[in-house]
Amino acid sequence: GSMAANSFLKVGMTVGELHKSVKPSFGDSCIGSARVAAVDAKSLTLKMQVGPEHVNPLGTLHGACSMLMLDNFTTLAILASAPRMTVSVNMSGQYVGAAKLGEELTICCQVDKVGKSLAYTSMTISCGDKQVFTGQHTKMFVEPKSKL
């Protein structure tokens, strides 16, 4: 596929840098340190170290942080292939492991299917070879496809 569509996502840039270039948005301060590791038309991989701002009282990755990443990062993955405005229809997450303060996360987003009005995505968070979270996010396009 064409790499032109996702030129706004550069390997090495942080989500915080990306958001600053667009406009500030909810949760930036929590997940802004995540860094783009790889991107193509159907997937986006990011890396992030678990910091004090990401953990629950047990000192492990907070579930709400995982869901925030699911929301934001799968949206970026959709934008990389279909640069259109979307709204969330459904999100679900399964917590399958724990990541501790200081550990490095690998966040893999997949655009599973893009239809006329809906985009289906999935995301996993892992720490080394241990899976921590798996989630699904369905979004609806709110702008018609351009007539180009």
Side-chain angles (χ1 to χ4, degrees):
S2 159
M3 296 303 278
N6 60 30
S7 58
F8 74 98
L9 282 173
K10 303 253 190 280
V11 171
M13 83 186 315
T14 67
V15 170
E17 289 164 350
L18 176 68
H19 283 173
K20 256 188 227 118
S21 70
V22 188
K23 65 178 177 189
S25 131
F26 173 78
D28 285 355
S29 59
C30 181
I31 57 173
S33 64
R35 197 171 286 282
V36 176
V39 61
D40 64 38
K42 291 277 180 239
S43 66
L44 170 65
T45 303
L46 303 105
K47 299 272 191 184
M48 188 178 86
Q49 189 170 25
V50 180
E53 70 275 29
H54 304 129
V55 299
N56 57 29
L58 297 171
T60 61
L61 181 64
H62 197 293
C65 186
S66 299
M67 290 301 282
L68 181 64
M69 289 193 275
L70 176 65
D71 187 2
N72 279 252
F73 299 165
T74 56
T75 298
L76 287 177
I78 293 168
L79 283 170
S81 59
R84 295 155 66 198
M85 185 62 88
T86 56
V87 291
S88 295
V89 174
N90 187 56
M91 283 200 306
S92 64
Q94 298 77 44
Y95 304 96
V96 294
K100 295 181 192 72
L101 184 63
E103 290 188 308
E104 188 181 51
L105 305 175
T106 300
I107 303 128
C108 297
C109 305
Q110 203 67 40
V111 180
D112 301 313
K113 181 177 190 288
V114 176
K116 273 195 304 236
S117 58
L118 295 177
Y120 299 89
T121 68
S122 53
M123 185 185 90
T124 59
I125 301 174
S126 48
C127 198
D129 55 6
K130 170 184 67 175
Q131 198 168 80
V132 173
F133 174 87
T134 176
Q136 301 75 39
H137 187 194
T138 305
K139 300 207 79 179
M140 182 175 70
F141 294 109
V142 292
E143 290 172 1
K145 249 185 175 147
S146 74
K147 298 275 190 284
L148 294 174

